[in-house]
Amino acid sequence: MCLPPSPPVSALLDRFGRIHNYLRVSVTDRCNFRCVYCLPEEGVTWLPRQSLLGYEEIARVVRVMAGMGLRSVRLTGGEPTVRRDLPALVESIAAVPGIVDLSMTTNAHRFASQASVLKAAGLRRVNISLDSLDAARFARITRGGDLAAVLAGIHAAIEAGLTPVKVNMVVMRGENDDEIVPMARWAMAVAPAVQLRFIEYMPFESRWHQNVPAAEMRVTLASALGELVPVTSKQGGGPAKHWQIGPLVVGFIAPITEHFCATCNRLRLLADGHLRTCLAHEDTPSLRDVLRGGATDGELALLLRGIVGGKPAGHLAEMAGGTAFEGVMTHIGG
Ligand code: SAM
Ligand code: SF4
């Protein structure tokens, strides 16, 4: 009988047997946008600078986790490009033995001038948020974003070779759901340098009615563009499920209606050093005080093993009446 390979002895395993080899690092909670699905218009206070993890502290967590099987790191935020001297962080993470994939999620507003420097520092890939192709609507959704600057950021990413550039659209009913088809047409024009993914809106503020299920998005696409065929071969290591529409492959990330908790391999290091084992749960121990309290790498590894061991099975978000996700997305990093 052929048995699956056993996980390495030191792997970050939870009690459900899930191996954690992917870390999202929120490098700042600050952002130059205030997207309607992510940040409230007012009332959010930024973390004081001294409570943010320093670059050396982030790199140390990555190094200790890499010794426990971590392979992929994604920088996120808030908006990672607003934190000063980001290439220095990229360089130090890229140099950690074992890290084979270093990527970033950005709104790309400032990216055109940063793409080549970040690539040279060791960034491999980039995901860019783009929720509308209409400049006025884009400005409204992001509360002030400039569509032209973001499109320039996408082109700079392609030029710099940060490919495949994945473009993410969060679909919200009544906000931009009428742009699902135009966005797919745009993606057909810019493929294969760009790969489009539709993301289901996660209701951080109990706006359940604005979630558009991925299945509904697929019906909309099929009625305008023809049959969607599921892609069975694995496309990347993430939670997106892919479908072929004519020449185009699009991804769907559906954390609500087609959630992927059973295969979750992710951990999230928040800007202030809290470690979230699940996006939807706020109960997160802080690594910052441990790091600043003089813990050895061995003690840190032991702590990490305990935290990951206690990871919940999944989130309880179900349509209409489920529990809303907890916290503020810019703090958590998506
Ligand atoms: N500022 C960067 C950006 O917008 O790409 C990175 C941080 S953002 C929090 C990371 C990802 O979370 C983005 O793709 C964003 O669209 C997504 N996101 C934020 N709030 C969301 C929500 N309520 N539901 C689904 N996705 C959300
Ligand atoms: Fe900022 Fe990204 Fe949140 Fe928009 S989605 S407010 S760009 S962190």
Side-chain angles (χ1 to χ4, degrees):
M1 188 170 64
C2 184
L3 294 171
S6 326
V9 179
S10 62
L12 281 162
L13 264 177
D14 69 11
R15 62 208 148 108
F16 305 101
R18 294 174 295 192
I19 298 172
H20 295 80
N21 55 13
Y22 176 104
L23 179 70
R24 294 178 75 95
V25 179
S26 174
V27 301
T28 176
D29 61 326
R30 290 171 197 240
C31 189
N32 45 356
F33 286 1
R34 274 185 171 264
C35 300
V36 292
Y37 50 76
C38 180
L39 262 183
E41 192 157 18
E42 47 199 30
V44 175
T45 44
W46 306 129
L47 292 165
R49 285 191 194 284
Q50 65 277 15
S51 67
L52 295 185
L53 286 190
Y55 286 171
E56 282 176 17
E57 291 170 323
I58 294 174
R60 182 172 170 212
V61 174
V62 169
R63 191 165 31 79
V64 170
M65 283 191 180
M68 306 171 87
L70 182 70
R71 293 295 169 261
S72 300
V73 176
R74 173 171 295 279
L75 305 179
T76 175
E79 174 47 39
T81 60
V82 303
R83 185 149 174 190
R84 205 176 303 158
D85 212 10
L86 188 64
L89 177 66
V90 168
E91 213 165 298
S92 59
I93 294 178
V96 173
I99 300 302
V100 293
D101 185 25
L102 176 54
S103 58
M104 184 167 89
T105 300
T106 174
N107 64 30
H109 199 250
R110 292 179 166 202
F111 199 64
S113 61
Q114 300 186 4
S116 55
V117 179
L118 289 167
K119 168 77 178 172
L123 192 69
R124 290 188 172 217
R125 298 183 295 120
V126 76
N127 289 6
I128 295 179
S129 300
L130 179 66
D131 303 314
S132 175
L133 293 167
D134 176 89
R137 180 184 275 179
F138 184 82
R140 200 185 66 239
I141 291 177
T142 55
R143 298 199 184 98
D146 175 8
L147 177 65
V150 172
L151 293 175
I154 293 173
H155 288 292
I158 297 168
E159 288 290 305
L162 290 163
T163 46
V165 177
K166 293 183 183 164
V167 166
N168 292 332
M169 174 186 184
V170 175
V171 179
M172 284 185 89
R173 197 179 301 285
E175 218 45 88
N176 63 351
D177 51 333
D178 59 340
E179 282 199 67
I180 292 173
V181 172
M183 193 66 88
R185 289 210 166 98
W186 172 81
M188 280 178 189
V190 290
V194 166
Q195 291 178 4
L196 177 63
R197 288 118 53 94
F198 295 106
I199 302 183
E200 271 185 7
Y201 166 60
M202 290 180 275
F204 268 75
E205 288 174 358
S206 304
R207 288 181 290 189
W208 290 98
H209 60 285
Q210 288 195 275
N211 171 277
V212 180
E216 185 181 324
M217 298 182 208
R218 290 194 286 267
V219 169
T220 304
L221 286 164
S223 61
L225 301 172
E227 193 191 2
L228 270 71
V229 180
V231 176
T232 48
S233 60
K234 190 83 187 123
Q235 310 267 310
K241 288 193 186 130
H242 293 84
W243 296 68
Q244 183 102 35
I245 320 173
L248 186 70
V249 174
V250 288
F252 294 86
I253 300 178
I256 306 295
T257 64
E258 297 167 9
H259 75 74
F260 30 81
C261 301
T263 55
C264 182
N265 64 345
R266 295 166 173 229
L267 298 170
R268 291 176 163 83
L269 183 61
L270 274 52
D272 62 359
H274 283 82
L275 187 71
R276 265 200 188 204
T277 54
C278 173
L279 173 63
H281 292 268
E282 213 161 12
D283 181 19
T284 53
S286 172
L287 300 184
R288 188 187 63 210
D289 301 341
V290 177
L291 289 166
R292 293 183 187 173
T296 63
D297 284 359
E299 286 163 343
L300 186 56
L302 209 59
L303 178 69
L304 289 167
R305 192 175 301 291
I307 295 171
V308 175
K311 174 165 171 155
H315 65 67
L316 302 172
E318 282 155 19
M319 296 303 295
T323 322
F325 284 69
E326 296 168 350
V328 176
M329 194 61 123
T330 48
H331 191 187
I332 307 161

